[in-house]
Amino acid sequence: MTLTGPCNAPDVVDVVALGESMVTFLPSRPGRLADVPSFERGIGGAESNVACVLAAAGHSVRWVGAVGADGFGDHLVEEIGSYGVDVASVRRDPARPTGIYFRTAGDRATGAHEVAYYRAGSAASAMSTDTVDLAAVRAARVLHLSGITAALSGSCLDLLWELTEPGPRRPLVSFDVNHRPGLWPDPDGCRVLLDLARRADLVFVGSDEALDAWGLNGPSAVRDALPEPELVVVKMGPGGAVALDKDPRDAQDADGTATLARAPRVDVVAAVGAGDAFAAGFLSATLRALPVRDRLRHGHLMAAAALTVPGDLATPPGREHADRLVALDDAAWGRLRLGPGWTERTQRADEEVRTP
């Protein structure tokens, strides 16, 4: 898979991520939302999470979105910008608020998990081809989008149709399906996500969401339903992830179509933000033109960083250390076990090695 796009433009960045970011309120203790007495403020949003992780990993990144002309909007722009993300193209909407949400501390996979969204009518839901700086969006080697944006409003969906339209100056389009049933009152939402995915160059989808949204069971079925993208990455949780290439000559396994990378064992603190971190790790390695297996492993390491902290964002592992872990043989990789604080420890170790 090769990177395309207007690489000679003066303001081109490695990645542009477009989508809604919200202020998230994390509970001070486990329990029902009705019982939690206080919350800590953070930031959340699939695309801005990817942008922050990539910027922290040393890439040039631009986040494009819209927030209200309010204090929560100020916080989002300042916090995302503090990661080194270019936020100059974020629109401040004086007529609409910044979205916020509250969640419980429990695992999203359990029935006790609660999320309360306050995003209806948000500034981001009013994004359109008329309000977004399309030139700034397209000035990238990679444009990262997700299905969440498509569900926010009709104008947001029209914007994604425009940005995924094939053309000679289109960046490589990365699309994370991110199926959120609660955001799709339209029963055709699943079909919309499938059609958008088919217009992308690189697709990320969980095996569980492919089954729920499309009734597709297993990576081969997903690849058959998405024949157009150059690469389809199917995430299987602790089972790892498999990348299915459009061109068999670019793949590494016996049948010439798929590359599997197992996930390391992780002592999970909170199962949030892992999918976004995985996409960031994979994109980072793609920008470095690493082999597909290494891209998958870098995705797993970034996901492990997110899984071992309470919030959506974590300090990524240092590139040198991550490269050493990725280069392990299969047996040594299979013995990895990553717990809270592992990225900070490896970062300090790398700094000590570089210090004379």
Side-chain angles (χ1 to χ4, degrees), residues 4-349:
T4 59
C7 294
N8 294 321
D11 58 346
V12 167
V13 295
D14 288 337
V15 178
V16 165
L18 177 142
E20 180 174 35
S21 188
M22 295 179 291
V23 173
T24 175
F25 289 92
L26 309 175
S28 59
R29 71 183 189 195
R32 302 183 309 154
L33 286 178
D35 300 328
V36 175
S38 59
F39 297 80
E40 181 178 349
R41 185 181 62 178
I43 61 174
E47 300 84 1
S48 59
N49 286 347
V50 171
C52 290
V53 174
L54 282 167
H59 296 282
S60 58
V61 188
R62 177 181 299 126
W63 171 54
V64 177
V67 298
D70 50 33
F72 287 145
D74 293 341
H75 174 65
L76 282 174
V77 172
E78 292 167 7
E79 188 69 13
I80 294 170
S82 72
Y83 282 83
V85 177
D86 175 2
V87 294
S89 299
V90 177
R91 182 171 184 265
R92 305 304 300 270
D93 190 330
R96 298 174 180 84
T98 303
I100 64 173
Y101 76 98
F102 297 78
R103 68 171 174 84
T104 53
D107 190 331
R108 285 180 179 175
T110 69
H113 184 69
E114 299 173 72
V115 180
Y117 287 104
Y118 299 90
R119 73 196 311 176
S122 70
S125 70
M127 287 190 298
S128 70
T129 55
D130 294 326
T131 63
V132 168
D133 185 346
L134 298 179
V137 174
R138 291 178 170 131
R141 298 173 66 195
V142 176
L143 171 58
H144 182 70
L145 307 169
S146 93
I148 294 173
T149 305
L152 296 180
S153 67
S155 66
C156 284
L157 177 56
D158 289 342
L159 176 61
L160 261 61
W161 289 131
E162 172 69 24
L163 294 176
T164 57
E165 181 70 25
R169 293 180 59 81
R170 189 182 88 165
L172 184 146
V173 172
S174 164
F175 183 74
D176 194 336
V177 172
N178 263 323
H179 177 232
R180 299 288 188 269
L183 293 179
W184 286 101
D186 186 341
D188 293 331
C190 294
R191 180 67 201 186
V192 169
L193 290 176
L194 184 65
D195 290 343
L196 283 170
R198 293 182 64 179
R199 291 161 69 97
D201 301 299
L202 168 62
V203 175
F204 298 98
V205 63
S207 57
D208 53 348
E209 62 183 345
L211 182 61
D212 292 343
W214 303 326
L216 300 175
N217 192 2
S220 295
V222 176
R223 175 80 261 195
D224 289 343
L226 298 171
E228 294 87 357
E230 293 186 42
L231 201 63
V232 175
V233 178
V234 180
K235 300 171 290 182
M236 300 177 292
V242 60
L244 300 104
D245 204 292
K246 185 176 182 179
D247 185 349
R249 293 172 299 178
D250 292 340
Q252 299 173 354
D253 75 341
D255 67 8
T257 58
T259 304
L260 172 67
R262 302 289 182 186
R265 290 173 294 171
V266 178
D267 297 328
V268 176
V269 172
V272 292
D276 304 329
F278 179 94
F282 192 96
L283 289 175
S284 175
T286 299
L287 288 161
R288 297 168 61 200
L290 298 184
V292 173
R293 188 212 66 169
D294 293 4
R295 300 180 199 183
L296 291 168
R297 285 189 171 185
H298 274 284
H300 287 318
L301 292 176
M302 289 292 198
L307 289 169
T308 50
V309 298
D312 287 27
L313 291 168
T315 301
R319 181 176 291 185
E320 294 177 13
H321 187 78
D323 283 344
R324 289 196 293 271
L325 293 179
V326 164
L328 293 173
D329 61 36
D330 289 343
W333 175 263
R335 291 192 296 269
L336 278 181
R337 182 162 190 160
L338 305 172
W342 74 273
T343 59
E344 287 85 354
R345 289 193 295 271
T346 57
Q347 185 72 38
R348 287 195 298 270

